[in-house]
Amino acid sequence: MSVSPPLPLPLLKRIPPGLWTALAWYAAAVEPIVEYVVMPQVPTYSPNYPQDGLDSLGAQALLAVAFVLILAGSAVLRRRTFAAYGLVIVGTVISTVAWRQDEIPPTQFLAVDVALCYIAANRPRRSSLTAAAAALGTLAGYLVLRLITGDDSSIAQEPLVALTVVIAWLIGNSSHQARAHTAELHARAAAEAVTAERLRIAREMHDTVAHSIGIIALQAGAAARVIETQPAKAREAILTVEMAGRETLSGLRRMLGALRQADQDEERQGRAHAPVPLRPAAGLAHVEQLAATTTAAGVRVEVRWQGRRRPLPADIDLAAFRIVQESVTNAVRHSGADSCQVRLDYRADELAVEVSDRGKGGGTSTETGYGLIGMRERAALLHGDFTAGPRPGGGFLVAARLPVPAGTEAEAKAGAR
């Protein structure tokens, strides 16, 4: 139906950020061990990784501790982001101590950059700036320590590594801003769609009230003409006027009260397309006609009536028809099914509406598309329940329960006359 199946994420995006962090750190840590310790000694010389750097048991123990800290930090990076980030930094520092290094090689600090990029993309800016400051502070500590000890035998790598920290933060922050902008656009579209749907409902309510006022005017005129010659008919017309007025006022109270309450709800979804103008006189009496028209178009619609059919208040009758109409339309457009079933169950205090198909509509209940929001809005305005999602056996199911206020049947009959 209006639900689109989620597109599979690219392989690189499916890899957890902790795994990227671990891969970056372990690749940078294992390479010098293989090259300068495991492999046969060659005349080449590395100031960062001396061949005897791991000869002592203390150095080997420190490197093992660093491996464990990085593994632990990478495993909990998504759940305990800042604690994991701290473990990655500490593990990186301990690895330099194990090798008796006075600076952190750029490749070894790449894991910290990966973790920082993840933090900047998924956490508030203040938190990500704090994380970046921790990384830059670590590099500054190495630089200050070398200046204090008077070791200036090599070119300082800290400015280069600090540049990679800044770049990692910028990349993550850009991703965070893009995601926030997309969410804002979706929220704005949702609010506009809900407003459009409410305007549509208001127009339909206007037509319903105009119809009721027309009935009141006709019945009042008839009563005025026969009040002296036919008192019984005049009394019947006046009762009709009273019932029609009560039913109209009751519908207006329900609608206006629900709209005021809905205005306080900030979490709304919306429709991506503008509502299509429909005939305002529609109601459940037109369901069979809708089924016949859709069947003629190529999708067989089976309508099942359950319970005792009875007149309903105009707003409930219209909302139920719109839910059926929208669901059937979506089944024709999106499900790919050759048939669908409509069930209307008149219960003691509510009307249950279900529209189901056996099509290929996918997704989950949390991935509802914009086309379902109009139905959800109508049900919410009448204090009803609405659900939509894939069926366990395949296909799609739209279900709504609209409460019917007690004592409205007589009023609905009067309004229908």
Side-chain angles (χ1 to χ4, degrees), residues 25-26 29 33 54 57-73 86-98:
W25 194 90
Y26 283 116
I33 296 176
L54 298 180
L57 292 178
Q60 297 174 13
L62 285 175
L63 191 60
V65 170
F67 271 75
V68 172
L69 290 178
I70 298 297
L71 180 62
L87 291 177
V88 172
I89 293 180
V90 172
T92 303
V93 171
I94 291 179
S95 68
T96 63
V97 176

Side-chain angles (χ1 to χ4, degrees), residues 254-270:
R254 286 195 299 269
M255 185 61 63
L256 294 177
L259 285 173
R260 290 194 186 101
Q261 181 178 0
D263 284 338
Q264 301 175 359
D265 188 1
E266 298 180 353
E267 297 179 359
R268 290 292 183 185
Q269 297 177 341

Side-chain angles (χ1 to χ4, degrees), residues 1-7 360-369 388-391 395-396:
M1 297 179 65
S2 58
V3 174
S4 300
L7 296 175
K360 59 184 179 181
T364 66
S365 59
T366 60
E367 297 164 348
T368 52
R391 303 172 62 184
F396 204 89

